[in-house]
Amino acid sequence: MGKADFLSPKAISNRIKAKGLQKLRWYCQMCQKQCRDENGFKCHCMSESHQRQLLLASENPTKFMDYFSDEFKSDFLELLRRRFGTKRVHNNIVYNEYISHREHIHMNSTQWETLTDFTKWLGREGFCKVDETPKGWYIQYIDRDPETIRRQEEQARKKKQELDDEERSARMIEEQVRKGREGKGTDETPVYTELKRESEEEKVAFNLGACSSVAGPSKSSSVLGASALKAASSSSSTSVKRKDSSSDFRGGEKKKKSALEEIIEMEKKKQQQQQPVRTDDWLQPNIIVKVITKRLGEKYHKKKAVIMEVRDKYTAVVKMIDSGDKLKLDQNHLETVIPAPGKRVLILNGPYRDMEALLEGIDEKHFSAALTLDSGPQKGKRVDIAYEDFSKLA
């Protein structure tokens, strides 16, 4: 019986069937041939082309299996990265979407017998984070692309800078409010004092020259003019004297009441003298830090270490606490460690740099902690220090 015509119903149905997925057991990966039924698959296995492919595979079987395994792994991970990113997803969902493509690599031609074995292998090799649940295995892709890591670090640095700016503005507002309250408390209020004489013989006199000149006896116009000029000059002189005396009196009062202001000014000057310029480097030996870079893998990520040596201000030689490994890391790949209250810390930046202190409490709202200085001339003083400006002592 000849083949069906191109536009016959049988030919059209054959093309529709060929487009869809067929059963996996009737697929030959070596020849990349999909058969529709068991009889077709049997005929294909007996064909000369299939026998030639089997002879080639028998010469070096591991070569073909490794090739198919690499293709399957790369295509599966590429689909996982593009379709789901770094989200946690069920492995069967990804696999069903992968096999929906007609030309995919079948798992029975790879080194893995089941999808579970392949999922466990991805976790052991560090390609994905895998975890088993009552609903099955879940996988999460680990993106180690340098560009992605750089972008994540840039976002984290920007977020931290925004928090620092907000904290700095909040501190500035609090400082202004405190200064305003202190200014209100030290505002000058009128003080009423008694009129006291230095000696009993001294008389209390009031200069009423202007009034006497106005109330004086009437004389000629020239005399009146001269007396008026004299009275005006005398009144102006007395007013100037009164102003001078009142200004001297007020100045005396200011001097008497400026003791508190002088103390405040002296404290401000001391703080300005003590405050060094904030520096970009904060690394110090014998402090505990945390590794935040993902470039070293999960073995060191989020693990604590002790700084053994500081080189060129921004590079530290650290010793991992868990494994004892020594690493050379940049300052940007480390962050400070906040211990529990009652532990000793070292201040790394700000006016109290290089001073040891005792952690009293943590203020999560303002991203700071209350410390009691344990060294230096200001020992025993309680200060508030930001999270990134202190770290736990080793």
Side-chain angles (χ1 to χ4, degrees):
M1 183 177 178
K3 288 187 177 181
D5 295 334
F6 178 70
L7 295 177
S8 64
K10 185 171 181 62
I12 294 173
S13 66
N14 289 341
R15 286 197 297 272
I16 292 173
K17 289 178 183 178
K19 284 184 180 179
L21 293 173
Q22 306 295 324
K23 287 189 177 180
L24 177 61
R25 59 180 178 174
W26 297 331
Y27 182 83
C28 178
Q29 185 68 62
M30 285 296 300
C31 305
Q32 296 182 359
K33 172 71 175 177
Q34 176 69 63
C35 303
R36 295 184 193 169
D37 51 18
E38 188 174 358
N39 185 35
F41 186 70
K42 182 179 178 181
C43 293
H44 169 71
C45 291
M46 296 172 62
S47 64
E48 186 180 354
S49 61
H50 180 74
Q51 296 298 327
R52 283 199 302 267
Q53 288 295 115
L54 288 181
L55 289 175
L56 289 174
S58 62
E59 293 177 0
N60 193 356
T62 57
K63 175 183 177 182
F64 289 91
M65 184 173 289
D66 292 343
Y67 171 75
F68 291 136
S69 300
D70 291 340
E71 287 292 318
F72 180 82
K73 182 257 297 181
S74 60
D75 293 344
F76 189 90
L77 290 178
E78 182 66 19
L79 174 64
L80 179 62
R81 183 184 68 83
R82 286 190 292 101
R83 178 70 175 81
F84 301 98
T86 55
K87 295 179 182 178
R88 183 172 173 268
V89 63
H90 200 283
N91 62 348
N92 206 25
I93 295 176
V94 186
Y95 181 71
N96 287 333
E97 190 164 343
Y98 171 73
I99 64 176
S100 63
H101 189 262
R102 190 163 182 264
E103 301 297 331
H104 71 276
I105 302 295
H106 290 67
M107 186 172 282
N108 61 358
S109 61
T110 64
Q111 64 185 9
W112 305 286
E113 295 181 359
T114 61
L115 181 60
T116 302
D117 294 340
F118 177 64
T119 304
K120 292 179 180 178
W121 183 85
L122 290 177
R124 288 195 301 269
E125 295 297 323
F127 291 106
C128 300
K129 295 180 181 177
V130 300
D131 58 316
E132 186 179 8
T133 64
K135 294 183 179 180
W137 287 86
Y138 282 82
I139 58 177
Q140 185 178 1
Y141 181 69
I142 301 174
D143 195 352
R144 288 194 173 88
D145 185 19
E147 184 65 23
T148 305
I149 294 173
R150 186 195 63 77
R151 188 163 56 250
Q152 290 175 354
E153 290 179 352
E154 188 69 25
Q155 290 176 356
R157 192 180 298 109
K158 186 177 180 182
K159 186 176 180 181
K160 186 177 180 181
Q161 186 176 0
E162 289 176 357
L163 291 176
D164 293 344
D165 293 340
E166 291 177 2
E167 184 181 355
R168 197 177 295 111
S169 61
R171 285 184 180 180
M172 191 179 297
I173 292 171
E174 289 179 1
E175 185 70 17
Q176 290 176 355
V177 171
R178 186 181 63 80
K179 286 181 179 179
R181 288 177 181 173
E182 289 180 358
K184 272 189 176 180
T186 57
D187 279 347
E188 292 186 0
T189 54
V191 180
Y192 300 98
T193 58
E194 297 180 1
L195 289 173
K196 293 183 180 180
R197 292 180 291 183
E198 295 179 359
S199 62
E200 295 182 356
E201 297 178 355
E202 186 181 355
K203 295 181 180 180
V204 179
F206 298 94
N207 192 352
L208 304 175
C211 298
S212 62
S213 64
V214 173
S218 60
K219 293 184 180 180
S220 61
S221 59
S222 61
V223 176
L224 283 172
S227 62
L229 289 172
K230 286 181 182 179
S233 62
S234 63
S235 64
S236 63
S237 63
T238 52
S239 63
V240 170
K241 286 180 181 178
R242 285 177 186 171
K243 286 180 181 177
D244 294 340
S245 61
S246 63
S247 64
D248 293 340
F249 183 69
R250 289 176 184 172
E253 277 188 359
K254 279 186 178 179
K255 287 180 182 177
K256 288 179 182 177
K257 293 183 69 177
S258 63
L260 181 61
E261 294 179 356
E262 289 179 358
I263 293 172
I264 293 172
E265 289 178 359
M266 289 173 63
E267 288 292 330
K268 287 181 179 178
K269 288 181 180 179
K270 284 183 180 179
Q271 290 179 2
Q272 289 176 358
Q273 291 175 359
Q274 291 176 356
Q275 284 183 355
V277 179
R278 288 184 64 88
T279 57
D280 294 334
D281 61 294
W282 54 267
L283 296 176
Q284 294 289 345
N286 298 325
I287 63 171
I288 297 177
V289 292
K290 185 182 290 184
V291 180
I292 59 174
T293 180
K294 295 182 180 179
R295 296 180 180 178
L296 304 176
E298 294 297 326
K299 182 179 179 181
Y300 303 112
H301 182 55
K302 295 293 183 181
K303 297 297 189 297
K304 295 180 181 178
V306 180
I307 296 181
M308 307 299 294
E309 182 184 353
V310 179
R311 299 177 182 176
D312 301 330
K313 294 185 179 180
Y314 299 98
T315 307
V317 178
V318 301
K319 182 179 181 182
M320 305 304 297
I321 296 177
D322 295 341
S323 60
D325 299 340
K326 288 188 177 182
L327 305 173
K328 184 178 179 182
L329 298 174
D330 189 74
Q331 176 179 278
N332 295 330
H333 298 158
L334 302 171
E335 69 176 7
T336 57
V337 173
I338 302 173
K343 300 292 184 179
R344 293 172 60 81
V345 298
L346 181 68
I347 301 175
L348 308 174
N349 218 333
Y352 307 102
R353 181 168 181 159
D354 299 334
M355 292 186 184
E356 296 182 5
L358 196 67
L359 180 64
E360 300 291 343
I362 297 173
D363 187 0
E364 297 181 358
K365 185 177 180 181
H366 297 92
F367 304 100
S368 62
L371 306 178
T372 301
L373 298 180
D374 201 18
S375 63
Q378 299 182 354
K379 183 177 180 180
K381 184 178 180 181
R382 190 183 176 95
V383 294
D384 291 333
I385 304 296
Y387 285 165
E388 64 270 13
D389 290 344
F390 71 91
S391 189
K392 182 181 178 181
L393 275 169

